[in-house]
């Protein structure tokens, strides 16, 4: 009887140790699982934060780019309005001096072929290019601008619909600016060529 109890006790002890080992292993596995789950959640959370940061930066860039485009559009509109206002001012000024005036730039817009105003008087036709730029700014009229204007007027006159209208008239060209904004190359070109004149009409 005593021997049986001893054997039973040993068996129970062994079983208890085995179960304890299994429980310990399960606990370790559970602990490892929870740790991995935490890491996964942390990574997912970090990814979510990263995605949110990227989206925020993307939104900021889109807003910045849209504002930049808006400012550029407004600037171009203001520049265009400033130029057109000056064309009207020059046309009115010359009309008051007795010239017959055509606001060619206002009529044809971007298809004005580089000619803003056309005036007529005493069998003379004068083609005018107007520039309303600030003095001492980074923009200046160069000899290339004046040569381009001469070329534009020549092309305009040679067109079939304009050729007959110019018969019997002396053709002149005039570069009108709101300020003294000619660079040295433009001044030299005007001194050496009588095919185009320059006049400053402040607005």
């Amino acid at each position: 009887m005593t021997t049986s109890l001893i054997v039973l006790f040993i068996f129970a002890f062994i079983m208890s140790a085995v179960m304890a080992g299994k429980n310990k292993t399960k606990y370790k596995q559970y602990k490892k699982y929870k740790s991995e789950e935490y890491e996964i959640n942390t990574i997912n959370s970090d990814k979510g934060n990263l995605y949110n940061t990227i989206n925020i930066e993307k939104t900021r860039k889109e807003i910045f780019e849209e504002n930049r485009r808006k400012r550029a559009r407004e600037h171009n509109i203001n520049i265009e309005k400033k130029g057109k206002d000056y064309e009207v001012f020059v046309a009115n000024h010359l009309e008051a001096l007795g010239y017959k005036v055509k606001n060619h730039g206002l009529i044809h817009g971007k298809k004005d072929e580089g000619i803003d105003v056309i005036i007529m008087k005493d069998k003379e036709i004068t083609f005018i290019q107007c520039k309303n730029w600030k003095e001492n700014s980074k923009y200046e009229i160069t000899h290339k601008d004046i040569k381009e204007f001469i070329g534009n007027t020549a092309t305009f006159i040679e067109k079939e619909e304009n050729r007959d209208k110019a018969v019997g008239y002396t053709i002149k060209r005039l570069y009108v600016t709101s300020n003294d904004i000619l660079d040295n190359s433009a001044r030299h070109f005007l001194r050496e060529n009588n095919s185009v004149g320059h006049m400053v009409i402040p607005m």
Side-chain angles (χ1 to χ4, degrees), residues 3 18 38 48 54 76 99 116 141 146 154 158-159 162 192 199 201:
T3 303
V18 170
Y38 173 78
I54 291 172
N76 291 336
Y99 290 93
D116 296 324
I141 303 300
I146 298 175
E158 286 302 313
K159 285 190 174 182
N162 299 324
E192 297 297 321
M199 179 184 294
I201 302 179

Side-chain angles (χ1 to χ4, degrees), residues 5-155:
L5 287 172
I6 292 171
V7 171
L8 184 61
F9 175 78
I10 292 171
F11 178 75
F13 177 79
I14 291 171
M15 289 301 296
S16 176
V18 170
M19 292 303 294
K22 287 182 177 181
N23 288 337
K24 190 174 182 180
T25 301
K26 286 182 178 180
Y27 175 74
K28 286 182 178 180
Q29 291 175 344
Y30 174 75
K31 188 175 180 181
K32 181 180 179 183
Y33 167 76
K34 294 302 289 183
S35 176
E36 290 174 350
E37 184 182 40
Y38 173 78
E39 288 178 3
I40 291 171
N41 290 335
T42 301
I43 291 170
N44 290 335
S45 176
D46 290 341
K47 284 182 178 179
N49 292 334
L50 179 61
Y51 293 148
N52 289 335
T53 301
I54 291 172
N55 289 333
I56 290 171
E57 287 300 319
K58 184 179 179 181
T59 302
R60 286 176 179 170
K61 288 180 180 179
E62 289 173 349
I63 292 172
F64 175 82
E65 185 61 24
E66 178 58 32
N67 288 336
R68 187 193 65 78
R69 287 195 295 265
K70 183 179 178 181
R71 288 193 299 271
R73 286 194 299 269
E74 290 174 350
H75 176 73
N76 291 336
I77 290 171
N78 290 335
I79 291 294
E80 186 174 354
K81 183 179 183 302
K82 185 180 176 183
K84 296 304 178 186
D85 288 346
Y86 186 62
E87 290 176 26
V88 173
F89 177 81
V90 170
N92 292 339
H93 174 77
L94 294 172
E95 189 173 34
L97 295 178
Y99 290 93
K100 183 179 178 181
V101 175
K102 180 180 180 181
N103 293 84
H104 190 261
L106 292 180
I107 295 170
H108 297 281
K110 293 181 179 179
K111 296 181 180 180
D112 65 4
E113 300 173 274
I115 302 168
D116 296 324
V117 179
I118 301 174
I119 59 174
M120 298 176 64
K121 188 178 181 182
D122 300 331
K123 287 295 180 176
E124 288 183 353
I125 297 177
T126 304
F127 298 104
I128 300 174
Q129 171 72 227
C130 301
K131 292 296 180 185
N132 186 17
W133 295 350
K134 291 181 180 180
E135 195 170 7
N136 300 322
S137 72
K138 64 179 180 179
Y139 299 107
E140 287 185 318
I141 303 300
T142 70
H143 69 289
K144 292 181 180 179
D145 296 315
I146 298 175
K147 285 181 178 179
E148 182 180 5
F149 173 55
I150 294 172
N152 287 337
T153 57
T155 301

Side-chain angles (χ1 to χ4, degrees), residues 167-182:
V167 174
Y169 284 87
T170 300
I171 303 300
K172 292 187 174 182
R173 301 170 180 85
L174 184 62
Y175 221 98
V176 178
T177 59
S178 57
N179 294 287
D180 188 6
I181 51 175
L182 273 61

